[in-house]
Structure formats: C-alpha cells, structure tokens
C-alpha cells in the first residue's frame, strides 16, 4: 500500500493553560495532509503533543505515543554518553581511539588507510576525525535493500568503510558526517561500561528505561512501531541493525525524545555544567563547521538554536534560552520549515 493523504485533525493533544502560547494551528498544519505525523513541544509550561494520520498501511492511527525510529538523533545520546564517561574520568577526549577499541577494529582501520593512534575521541564526536561514512556508500545501500532482514554488525560496517571508502582528511581538519565514527563511539561506550549500548546510554543519561529502546529490545519494536517510507517504498522491514551501533537505533515516542532532549539541553544529564558547554560550544570544531558534539549550531530569528535531523523523517529543534524543544516526525517528508514555524510562533 502506498502512502496516502489524510485529513484527520488533532489527536492526543495535551493543552497547556489558556493564557499561554498554544500553537495549535501549526501543529495541525504539521499533522494534516501527510502519512503519519506527530509532534511534541516541551516548554516551561509543560508539553504539548499531537498526532494525526496512519502509522502503518493497515490504517492504524498515529499517536504521540507511537514508537518511531529516531535514526541519527541517537547520535546526540551516544555523544552525551561519551561525555558522561569523560566527565567521570574514564578517559580523555584527546585519547587516541587505538587505546579504546579492540584489536580487530584497529586492524580494520589500518587496512582502510587510517591510523587509530592518530585519531582521538574529540574529532570523532565532531565528525572531523577522517573516516568516511559507510552508510552513504552505494554498496552498503544496495546491500540493505537487497536483503532488508540482514543483521549488520559493527564489524560489517567497518568492512564497508575499509573496502568502499577513502579517508576524508587528517583528523580534525574538516567536517565530514560519518555514521561509522559514531558506530565506533558506541563501541567505546560498550567497552567502558561492560553493558549493551542501549542499557549503557540509558544508565549514563538517567533516561527512562521504558521510553527509549534500541531496535530488538522488546517491547519497542514489532507491530507497535510506525512504518517509515522513502517516497513510495515502505521501509518497515529493514532491520534496525543498519544503524544500531551508535549512529542510530533508538526506537522512541516523539514525547520521550523531546523530554530527553530537554533534559540534555537543560543541563540535568551532566554532573558538571561545563560538560554541556563543551558539547554545545565544541571549541575545537573545524573552522566553518556548524556541527558541535552532535548538534548543528544555528540561529532562528536571532535566537541561538541547535538542530538535529534523522533519516526516517524526524526533526528536532532546541532553543536553550527559551527552554524550548520541538521534536516532530512525518513519516515520509522533510520537516525543517514547519518546525521553524512552530518555534517562531512560540518565541515571537
């Protein structure tokens, strides 16, 4: 069944006091005329959430509580987990990854033309460490669609890096978005904690154990999860291991994702306030790069903003001074313009 237009109105709306700003018109604009849409807004007044449309081809109603793949938004939480380990003294951000990853991965990096003793954690967080992106290669994408149910390991992804890419530059020299780098960071979190990545991230960031799960961690997946589309292709059957090693993999509700971002941007995740400053300012980012430690630094109407986008149709916008976080998904559409309108309605 192909994506179809819908005319459903708002559902699942939590209303804040009448004298506060409630951007219902923009929420409805986001939810209407698309296949499966949901939005959650966290502000000093609480949360507003809404959804409309179909979560799957059988017509199951989309709600703010429908689990979705949040894709690269996972990187924000992987980065935060690395920073939590750093602030507790487990390793230094300028430590070479060669001291933190297993010998087999060191060998694969070297075979791909990389020196793991010259690459440190800090530029890997900033997407400037030199590894290309296995997920963007033609060979990887073709293999994923040829066998959607294939289970991909971290080693499989590093093999694609080794065989299908070249280094993008010296460590720290230039920005180049890399899912591979975050797969390595996810492995560092696992080795340092001795826990599966999902459990480690939840424990380190003090997240609700039931709110943000990894693909394969019941009950987050299965029939309850929304069906993401690429054009007219339903990609529900693609196994979550394609990005589940640090660069993606979390399955969560938009409400849970918005709350997690609000906690992160609000400073309650870290023990030391300076850790959040390091994450958002990232003074060692390459000149001209908008990326910090897994946020895109921006401005909206002169207000400092931090953005993130996810492959499966999910967008996040955080305005720290306003204590405002917006997370929205439309299962087969781009969202940046609509999310910006929601934020401008709130701050103007």
């Amino acid at each position: 069944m192909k994506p179809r237009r819908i005319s459903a109105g708002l559902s699942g709306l939590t209303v804040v006091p009448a004298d506060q700003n409630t951007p219902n018109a923009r929420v409805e604009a986001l939810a209407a005329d698309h296949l499966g849409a949901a939005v959650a807004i966290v502000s000093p007044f609480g949360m507003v959430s809404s959804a409309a449309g179909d979560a799957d081809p059988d017509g199951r109603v989309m709600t703010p509580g429908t689990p979705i793949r949040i894709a690269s938004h996972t990187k924000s939480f992987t980065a935060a987990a690395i920073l939590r380990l750093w602030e507790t003294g487990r390793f230094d951000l300028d430590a070479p990854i060669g001291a933190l990853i297993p010998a087999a991965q060191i060998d694969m990096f070297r075979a791909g033309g990389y020196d793991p003793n010259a690459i440190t954690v800090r530029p890997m967080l900033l997407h400037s460490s030199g590894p290309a992106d296995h997920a963007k290669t033609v060979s990887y994408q073709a293999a994923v669609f040829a066998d959607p149910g294939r289970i991909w390991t971290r080693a499989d992804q590093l093999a694609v890096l080794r065989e299908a890419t070249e280094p993008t530059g010296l460590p720290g020299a230039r920005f180049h978005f890399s899912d591979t780098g975050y797969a390595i960071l996810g492995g560092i979190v696992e080795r340092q904690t001795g826990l599966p990545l999902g459990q480690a991230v939840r424990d380190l960031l003090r997240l609700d154990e039931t709110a943000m799960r990894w693909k394969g961690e019941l009950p987050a997946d299965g029939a309850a999860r929304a069906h993401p589309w690429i054009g007219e292709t339903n990609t529900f059957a693609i196994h979550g291991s394609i990005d589940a090693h640090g660069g993606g993999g979390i399955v969560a509700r938009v409400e849970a994702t918005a709350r997690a971002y609000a906690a992160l941007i609000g400073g309650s995740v870290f023990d030391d306030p300076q850790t959040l400053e390091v994450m958002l300012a990232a003074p060692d980012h390459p000149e001209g790069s908008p990326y910090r430690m897994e946020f895109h630094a921006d401005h909206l109407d002169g207000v400092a903003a931090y953005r993130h986008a996810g492959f499966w149709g999910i967008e996040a916008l955080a305005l720290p001074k306003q204590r405002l976080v917006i997370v929205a998904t439309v299962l087969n559409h781009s969202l940046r313009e609509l999310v910006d309108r929601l934020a401008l309605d709130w701050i103007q």
Side-chain angles (χ1 to χ4, degrees), residues 40 43 49 72 82 96 102 127 144 153 158 178 180 192 202 217 223 226 259 288 313 318 331 344 347-348:
S43 79
S49 62
S72 278
I82 288 285
H127 294 282
V144 167
T153 66
L158 278 174
S178 177
T180 318
Q192 290 291 317
R202 286 191 297 267
E217 290 184 327
R259 285 194 181 99
L331 297 180
L344 288 169
I347 65 178
Q348 289 177 346

Side-chain angles (χ1 to χ4, degrees), residues 39 89 117 213:
V39 62
N117 291 321
R213 314 288 291 185

Side-chain angles (χ1 to χ4, degrees), residues 1 14 32 54 58 80 83 85 99 123 140 150 167 170 180 191-192 207 211 218 242 256 265 282 293 309 320 323 325:
M1 180 179 178
T14 302
D54 296 343
D58 295 328
L83 290 169
L85 291 168
Y140 189 71
R150 175 176 172 176
L170 295 174
T180 318
R191 291 196 88 204
Q192 290 291 317
L207 298 175
L218 297 176
I242 63 164
I265 295 293
M293 290 188 178
R323 295 163 56 201
V325 170

Side-chain angles (χ1 to χ4, degrees), residues 157-281:
Q157 295 172 345
L158 278 174
V160 175
L161 180 81
R162 179 190 64 203
E163 296 163 6
T165 74
E166 297 291 337
T168 64
L170 295 174
R174 62 187 291 260
F175 166 78
H176 185 89
F177 192 85
S178 177
D179 276 87
T180 318
Y182 268 77
I184 294 300
L185 292 171
I188 291 173
V189 171
E190 289 180 333
R191 291 196 88 204
Q192 290 291 317
T193 61
L195 297 171
L197 185 58
Q199 183 180 346
V201 169
R202 286 191 297 267
D203 288 354
L204 287 166
L205 307 188
R206 309 175 179 101
L207 298 175
D208 181 352
E209 184 177 355
T210 63
M212 306 187 80
R213 314 288 291 185
W214 251 256
K215 171 73 168 88
E217 290 184 327
L218 297 176
D221 200 27
R225 179 165 58 82
H227 288 226
W229 297 75
I230 299 176
E232 296 184 350
T233 301
N234 185 343
T235 63
F236 180 83
I238 293 177
H239 196 275
S241 60
I242 63 164
D243 66 355
H245 303 297
I250 290 180
V251 177
R253 307 183 303 273
V254 292
E255 294 170 326
T257 307
R259 285 194 181 99
Y261 268 124
L264 184 55
I265 295 293
S268 63
V269 164
F270 299 118
D271 294 332
D272 185 346
Q274 291 301 311
T275 306
L276 180 61
E277 288 296 314
V278 169
M279 187 177 201
L280 298 182

